[in-house]
Each structure stands twice: as structure tokens, then as C-alpha cells.
Amino acid sequence: MKIAFLLSSLLTAVLTAGRPAAPPVAAFGYPDGVAVDRAGNVYVVDTDNGAVQRVSPSGEVTSLPGPPLAYPTGVAVSPTGTVYVADAGSHSIVQVTPAGSVSTLVHSRSLVYPAAVAVDSAGNVYVADAGAAPNSGAVLRVSPRGALTTLAQGFNKPAGLAVSAQGVVYVADTDNNAVRQISPAGQVTPLATDLNHPRGLALEAAGTLLVADTYNNSIRRVSRTGQVSLLAEGFTYPAGVATDPTGAVYVTDTGTSSLRKISPTGQVTTLAGGTPPVGSPVPTAAGTEATRLKQ
């Protein structure tokens, strides 16, 4: 099974060699969104392989059940363990129960390009729809029964979402290089600017926001008042970010086709996937010196 998976991944890497961020050989085919469940399983959107991979705490990689997805982009896990997947290629949100039952929560052409998902404790799913034209992106809420409601619009290719216990929705307004927040009343305000193509978002237990600052090849931490600090750097186009109850942070690093982990003490390791290409920086936590490979 593992041999077949690796061969499939190798074939995908060869066929998608035109994508600048992907290395020639990797275990993931353009890893995008990432999420963590309460048991410590990490879910990685394996976009080019049309799948979501589950990485167990012991490092075993298995595919989520169900038919191949058209072009998956985002993933979220509810407190009850249901996995939600944004499948941009089919304009759908797919759900997988802990028992392995797969169904479509919503399928609609009004979902032009669902790029990211988040879920709250009540089972409402939030979708960042990148839209087609610049500044046509929107954030929608999907009820547990599949009813769509638009919360806010006018974003520029939003590609990351997080929702707090208080109902505040955080949006990576990617092509506007900013993170914005939507209050429960629907008011949209900026939280952080001067980022460089931010994508994945995740909330820490203390309420601070983690941001994959993609074109700066780093992970940032944003306080509730909008103060931005560096958590770790040296990635190669990080896309997704997630955190677990221990404070560990998980990053999908698209440029190396890998899943990386930042420990609570700041150690950066690779959990699954490819290795850095020659000349790329080794990811390090803020405050430590980065060791760079020779050109």
C-alpha cells in the first residue's frame, strides 16, 4: 500500500513539474490546508493527488475514505471528529464522519472557488470563497443542514479562515496582504496588514492568531490587538497552519511538499513528506539562527 502510494505521488510530481513550488519527488502533491483532531491526527490536503491524508501521532500516513476529490484545498475538523473538506474543483464541501461515512454537505455554483474552511462548536462550517475576479471573494456560513448564508464579501482571493469561540471569523485576505476579522454582527475590520500573501490561519488557546505568511516564508503570530511577531521562518511557501492543545503548530510547506511541526519549545521538524531542495533555508523558530544549505 505504501509503495503504491509513493509511486502515485512520484507520478503526480512528474506530471505537475510546471508548478514552481513543487519539488520533483514528494510524498504529498502540493499540500495545502491542514487541521488537527483531538486525538492528535493531522489532516493534510493533498491537492494534486485529489485526497486528504491523515498523519497519525506515530507518523503513519493513510488516505481518508471516499472517492477522489476534484481539487481539494481546505480542511477542518469539528470537536466531534467530523472532517470537512473544501473541494474547489467540484464547488462543494465534503464531510467525512469519524465512522468513515462520506457525504456532500453542500454543492453549489455559488461556491466559485472554496479555498478554505473552518467549523465552530455548533457545527456551522465557514467557507472562504476566493471568487473569480479580484475583490470578489466572500465568506459564507453553511448550516449543519447545508443552508448557505453570505457573511461578508469584497475580499481579494481569501485563502484562510479561523473562527473563535466567541463567533469572530478571521479571514486571510490573501491578495490584499492582510488579515481581517468579521464580528458576530457582521462588521469587517482589519487585524493585521503588511503581510505578504497570507494564507492559512489557526487560533491558539490564548486567542492569538497564527498566520502562514506565505511569500515571506514564515509563520507569524498576531495578538488580539493586531501586534505581529515572528514564530518561525525558513519555510518554502507555507500554505496551511494548525495547532493542537499542547501548543504544537503544524505547517504544510508547499515548496518542499512536506508537513512540518513547530514544537512548543520552538523545535522545527518534518513529520511527513519531501526534503528541502538544495539552497533552501532550514525552518527555525524565532530567536534561533537558521542554518542554510550550500548553494
Side-chain angles (χ1 to χ4, degrees), residues 180-204:
R180 306 192 189 279
Q181 53 190 357
I182 307 171
S183 73
Q187 183 180 11
V188 181
T189 54
L191 178 65
T193 56
D194 296 326
L195 300 166
N196 197 348
H197 210 76
R199 297 190 63 188
L201 302 178
L203 278 167
E204 296 183 288

Side-chain angles (χ1 to χ4, degrees), residues 236-270:
T236 310
Y237 302 115
V241 62
T243 185
D244 68 18
T246 71
V249 177
Y250 302 87
V251 181
T252 45
D253 199 30
T254 62
T256 60
S257 286
S258 64
L259 172 65
R260 299 189 184 275
K261 178 181 179 180
I262 308 169
S263 75
T265 59
Q267 182 182 11
V268 183
T269 56
T270 298

Side-chain angles (χ1 to χ4, degrees), residues 25-244:
V25 179
F28 299 114
Y30 196 81
D32 197 344
V34 63
V36 188
D37 68 17
R38 289 182 171 179
N41 297 295
V42 184
Y43 298 84
V44 178
V45 174
D46 193 3
T47 301
D48 286 348
N49 288 321
V52 174
Q53 310 293 351
R54 179 171 49 215
V55 183
S56 73
S58 64
E60 181 184 7
V61 181
T62 57
S63 297
L64 243 60
L69 299 161
Y71 197 83
T73 49
V75 63
V77 186
S78 76
T80 61
T82 297
V83 179
Y84 297 92
V85 183
D87 190 17
S90 67
H91 311 280
S92 303
I93 305 300
V94 177
Q95 56 186 0
V96 184
T97 69
S101 175
V102 182
S103 61
T104 298
L105 175 63
V106 61
H107 167 73
S108 174
R109 284 286 175 178
S110 63
L111 292 176
V112 179
Y113 191 94
V117 286
V119 60
D120 65 19
S121 59
N124 297 298
V125 176
Y126 299 80
V127 183
D129 187 357
N135 296 306
S136 67
V139 174
L140 304 96
R141 181 174 56 218
V142 187
S143 75
R145 294 181 175 272
L148 274 172
T149 303
T150 299
L151 296 184
Q153 49 193 339
F155 302 100
N156 199 357
K157 306 296 182 185
L161 273 184
V163 58
S164 74
Q166 294 74 37
V168 177
V169 179
Y170 299 91
V171 188
D173 195 4
T174 303
D175 279 11
N176 282 330
N177 298 313
V179 172
R180 306 192 189 279
Q181 53 190 357
I182 307 171
S183 73
Q187 183 180 11
V188 181
T189 54
L191 178 65
T193 56
D194 296 326
L195 300 166
N196 197 348
H197 210 76
R199 297 190 63 188
L201 302 178
L203 278 167
E204 296 183 288
T208 49
L209 187 70
L210 299 173
V211 182
D213 195 6
T214 303
Y215 284 6
N216 280 327
N217 296 313
S218 61
I219 305 300
R220 309 278 180 184
R221 179 178 276 138
V222 183
S223 73
R224 294 181 179 182
T225 57
Q227 292 180 316
V228 181
S229 59
L230 178 66
L231 176 63
E233 61 185 346
F235 298 92
T236 310
Y237 302 115
V241 62
T243 185
D244 68 18

